[in-house]
Short mmCIF file of all heavy atoms in Angstrom, two decimals:
data_model
loop_
_atom_site.label_atom_id
_atom_site.label_comp_id
_atom_site.label_asym_id
_atom_site.label_seq_id
_atom_site.Cartn_x
_atom_site.Cartn_y
_atom_site.Cartn_z
N TYR A 388 119.98 100.75 99.06
CA TYR A 388 119.61 101.99 98.38
C TYR A 388 120.86 102.78 98.01
O TYR A 388 121.90 102.68 98.66
CB TYR A 388 118.70 102.84 99.26
CG TYR A 388 117.36 102.19 99.54
CD1 TYR A 388 117.14 101.47 100.70
CD2 TYR A 388 116.32 102.30 98.61
CE1 TYR A 388 115.91 100.87 100.95
CE2 TYR A 388 115.08 101.70 98.86
CZ TYR A 388 114.89 100.98 100.03
OH TYR A 388 113.67 100.39 100.26
N SER A 389 120.74 103.57 96.96
CA SER A 389 121.84 104.42 96.52
C SER A 389 122.02 105.60 97.48
O SER A 389 121.08 105.97 98.19
CB SER A 389 121.55 104.98 95.12
OG SER A 389 121.25 103.94 94.20
N PRO A 390 123.20 106.22 97.50
CA PRO A 390 123.35 107.48 98.24
C PRO A 390 122.28 108.46 97.79
O PRO A 390 121.99 108.59 96.59
CB PRO A 390 124.75 107.95 97.86
CG PRO A 390 125.49 106.68 97.52
CD PRO A 390 124.46 105.80 96.86
N THR A 391 121.65 109.13 98.73
CA THR A 391 120.50 109.95 98.39
C THR A 391 120.38 111.12 99.36
O THR A 391 121.19 111.31 100.26
CB THR A 391 119.21 109.10 98.43
OG1 THR A 391 118.11 109.87 97.93
CG2 THR A 391 118.90 108.64 99.84
N THR A 392 119.36 111.92 99.15
CA THR A 392 118.97 112.95 100.11
C THR A 392 117.54 112.66 100.52
O THR A 392 116.73 112.17 99.71
CB THR A 392 119.06 114.36 99.53
OG1 THR A 392 118.22 114.44 98.37
CG2 THR A 392 120.50 114.69 99.15
N TYR A 393 117.20 112.97 101.77
CA TYR A 393 115.83 112.79 102.26
C TYR A 393 115.42 114.11 102.91
O TYR A 393 116.07 114.57 103.85
CB TYR A 393 115.75 111.64 103.25
CG TYR A 393 114.34 111.38 103.71
CD1 TYR A 393 113.48 110.62 102.92
CD2 TYR A 393 113.86 111.91 104.90
CE1 TYR A 393 112.17 110.40 103.31
CE2 TYR A 393 112.55 111.70 105.31
CZ TYR A 393 111.71 110.94 104.50
OH TYR A 393 110.41 110.72 104.89
N ASN A 394 114.37 114.71 102.37
CA ASN A 394 113.94 116.04 102.82
C ASN A 394 115.09 117.04 102.79
O ASN A 394 115.23 117.90 103.66
CB ASN A 394 113.34 115.97 104.24
CG ASN A 394 111.94 115.39 104.23
OD1 ASN A 394 111.33 115.20 103.18
ND2 ASN A 394 111.43 115.09 105.42
N GLY A 395 115.94 116.89 101.79
CA GLY A 395 117.06 117.81 101.62
C GLY A 395 118.30 117.46 102.41
O GLY A 395 119.32 118.16 102.31
N HIS A 396 118.27 116.37 103.19
CA HIS A 396 119.42 115.99 104.01
C HIS A 396 120.10 114.76 103.42
O HIS A 396 119.43 113.80 103.00
CB HIS A 396 118.97 115.69 105.44
CG HIS A 396 118.20 116.81 106.08
ND1 HIS A 396 118.71 118.08 106.19
CD2 HIS A 396 116.95 116.85 106.61
CE1 HIS A 396 117.82 118.87 106.78
NE2 HIS A 396 116.74 118.14 107.04
N ARG A 397 121.40 114.78 103.42
CA ARG A 397 122.15 113.69 102.79
C ARG A 397 122.06 112.41 103.61
O ARG A 397 121.99 112.43 104.85
CB ARG A 397 123.62 114.07 102.63
CG ARG A 397 124.44 114.05 103.92
CD ARG A 397 125.91 114.38 103.63
NE ARG A 397 126.75 114.27 104.83
CZ ARG A 397 127.33 113.15 105.22
NH1 ARG A 397 127.16 112.04 104.54
NH2 ARG A 397 128.10 113.13 106.32
N LEU A 398 122.06 111.29 102.91
CA LEU A 398 122.13 109.97 103.52
C LEU A 398 123.01 109.12 102.62
O LEU A 398 122.62 108.74 101.52
CB LEU A 398 120.74 109.35 103.67
CG LEU A 398 120.66 107.97 104.34
CD1 LEU A 398 121.24 108.03 105.75
CD2 LEU A 398 119.22 107.49 104.38
N GLY A 399 124.22 108.86 103.09
CA GLY A 399 125.20 108.22 102.24
C GLY A 399 124.89 106.77 101.90
O GLY A 399 125.25 106.29 100.83
N PHE A 400 124.21 106.05 102.81
CA PHE A 400 123.96 104.62 102.58
C PHE A 400 122.72 104.24 103.38
O PHE A 400 122.55 104.65 104.53
CB PHE A 400 125.16 103.80 103.06
CG PHE A 400 124.96 102.31 103.01
CD1 PHE A 400 125.16 101.61 101.84
CD2 PHE A 400 124.60 101.61 104.16
CE1 PHE A 400 124.99 100.23 101.80
CE2 PHE A 400 124.43 100.23 104.14
CZ PHE A 400 124.62 99.54 102.95
N ALA A 401 121.83 103.46 102.78
CA ALA A 401 120.66 102.95 103.48
C ALA A 401 120.37 101.54 103.00
O ALA A 401 120.55 101.23 101.82
CB ALA A 401 119.44 103.85 103.24
N SER A 402 119.93 100.69 103.93
CA SER A 402 119.68 99.30 103.56
C SER A 402 118.61 98.70 104.45
O SER A 402 118.59 98.93 105.66
CB SER A 402 120.96 98.48 103.68
OG SER A 402 120.75 97.14 103.25
N CYS A 403 117.70 97.94 103.84
CA CYS A 403 116.72 97.16 104.57
C CYS A 403 117.24 95.73 104.67
O CYS A 403 117.56 95.11 103.65
CB CYS A 403 115.37 97.17 103.84
SG CYS A 403 114.13 96.07 104.57
N ILE A 404 117.33 95.22 105.90
CA ILE A 404 117.78 93.84 106.09
C ILE A 404 116.79 93.12 107.01
O ILE A 404 117.17 92.48 107.99
CB ILE A 404 119.22 93.78 106.65
CG1 ILE A 404 119.39 94.75 107.82
CG2 ILE A 404 120.23 94.04 105.57
CD1 ILE A 404 120.73 94.61 108.49
N GLY A 405 115.50 93.21 106.66
CA GLY A 405 114.45 92.58 107.46
C GLY A 405 114.13 91.17 107.02
O GLY A 405 113.05 90.65 107.30
N HIS A 406 115.07 90.52 106.32
CA HIS A 406 114.82 89.19 105.76
C HIS A 406 115.43 88.07 106.60
O HIS A 406 115.83 87.03 106.09
CB HIS A 406 115.39 89.13 104.34
CG HIS A 406 116.87 89.31 104.23
ND1 HIS A 406 117.54 90.34 104.85
CD2 HIS A 406 117.82 88.59 103.57
CE1 HIS A 406 118.84 90.24 104.59
NE2 HIS A 406 119.03 89.18 103.83
N GLY A 407 115.45 88.26 107.93
CA GLY A 407 116.12 87.30 108.78
C GLY A 407 115.32 86.08 109.16
O GLY A 407 115.90 85.05 109.48
N GLY A 408 113.95 86.17 109.15
CA GLY A 408 113.23 85.02 109.67
C GLY A 408 111.79 84.88 109.24
O GLY A 408 111.09 83.98 109.71
N VAL A 409 111.29 85.74 108.34
CA VAL A 409 109.89 85.65 107.90
C VAL A 409 109.86 85.56 106.38
O VAL A 409 110.41 86.43 105.69
CB VAL A 409 109.09 86.88 108.36
CG1 VAL A 409 107.67 86.83 107.81
CG2 VAL A 409 109.05 86.94 109.89
N PRO A 410 109.22 84.53 105.82
CA PRO A 410 109.15 84.39 104.36
C PRO A 410 108.41 85.57 103.72
O PRO A 410 107.41 86.06 104.25
CB PRO A 410 108.38 83.09 104.16
CG PRO A 410 108.57 82.33 105.44
CD PRO A 410 108.60 83.39 106.51
N GLU A 411 108.92 86.00 102.58
CA GLU A 411 108.31 87.11 101.85
C GLU A 411 108.30 86.78 100.37
O GLU A 411 109.25 86.19 99.85
CB GLU A 411 109.11 88.39 102.10
CG GLU A 411 108.57 89.63 101.40
CD GLU A 411 107.15 89.95 101.86
OE1 GLU A 411 106.99 90.56 102.93
OE2 GLU A 411 106.22 89.59 101.11
N TYR A 412 107.19 87.13 99.71
CA TYR A 412 107.13 86.99 98.26
C TYR A 412 108.08 87.98 97.60
O TYR A 412 108.16 89.14 98.00
CB TYR A 412 105.72 87.27 97.75
CG TYR A 412 104.77 86.10 97.77
CD1 TYR A 412 105.14 84.85 98.25
CD2 TYR A 412 103.48 86.25 97.29
CE1 TYR A 412 104.27 83.80 98.25
CE2 TYR A 412 102.58 85.20 97.28
CZ TYR A 412 102.97 83.97 97.77
OH TYR A 412 102.10 82.93 97.77
N LEU A 413 108.77 87.53 96.57
CA LEU A 413 109.55 88.44 95.74
C LEU A 413 108.59 89.14 94.78
O LEU A 413 107.89 88.48 94.01
CB LEU A 413 110.62 87.67 94.96
CG LEU A 413 111.64 86.91 95.81
CD1 LEU A 413 112.59 86.13 94.90
CD2 LEU A 413 112.43 87.86 96.67
N VAL A 414 108.56 90.44 94.84
CA VAL A 414 107.60 91.19 94.02
C VAL A 414 108.19 91.66 92.71
O VAL A 414 107.51 92.25 91.90
CB VAL A 414 107.05 92.40 94.80
CG1 VAL A 414 106.28 91.93 96.02
CG2 VAL A 414 108.17 93.33 95.22
N MET A 415 109.48 91.41 92.50
CA MET A 415 110.12 91.78 91.24
C MET A 415 110.92 90.58 90.75
O MET A 415 111.15 89.61 91.47
CB MET A 415 111.07 92.97 91.43
CG MET A 415 110.39 94.24 91.84
SD MET A 415 111.53 95.65 91.77
CE MET A 415 112.85 95.09 92.84
N LYS A 416 111.34 90.65 89.52
CA LYS A 416 112.20 89.63 88.93
C LYS A 416 113.52 90.27 88.53
O LYS A 416 113.63 91.49 88.42
CB LYS A 416 111.51 89.00 87.71
CG LYS A 416 110.21 88.28 88.03
CD LYS A 416 109.59 87.70 86.77
CE LYS A 416 108.28 86.99 87.10
NZ LYS A 416 107.64 86.43 85.87
N GLU A 417 114.50 89.43 88.30
CA GLU A 417 115.80 89.94 87.86
C GLU A 417 115.62 90.81 86.62
O GLU A 417 114.91 90.45 85.69
CB GLU A 417 116.75 88.78 87.54
CG GLU A 417 117.16 87.95 88.75
CD GLU A 417 118.17 88.66 89.62
OE1 GLU A 417 118.59 89.78 89.25
OE2 GLU A 417 118.52 88.11 90.68
N GLY A 418 116.25 91.97 86.62
CA GLY A 418 116.16 92.87 85.48
C GLY A 418 115.13 93.96 85.66
O GLY A 418 115.17 94.98 84.96
N GLN A 419 114.18 93.76 86.59
CA GLN A 419 113.21 94.81 86.86
C GLN A 419 113.81 95.82 87.83
O GLN A 419 114.76 95.53 88.55
CB GLN A 419 111.93 94.21 87.46
CG GLN A 419 111.13 93.37 86.48
CD GLN A 419 109.86 92.84 87.10
OE1 GLN A 419 109.81 92.55 88.29
NE2 GLN A 419 108.82 92.70 86.29
#
Side-chain angles (χ1 to χ4, degrees):
Y388 295 96
S389 306
T391 187
T392 58
Y393 183 82
N394 284 350
H396 306 303
R397 74 177 184 88
L398 182 59
F400 174 83
S402 183
C403 174
I404 47 173
H406 62 312
V409 176
E411 181 60 81
Y412 274 2
L413 300 177
V414 297
M415 296 189 303
K416 298 179 180 179
E417 293 285 357
Q419 291 182 327

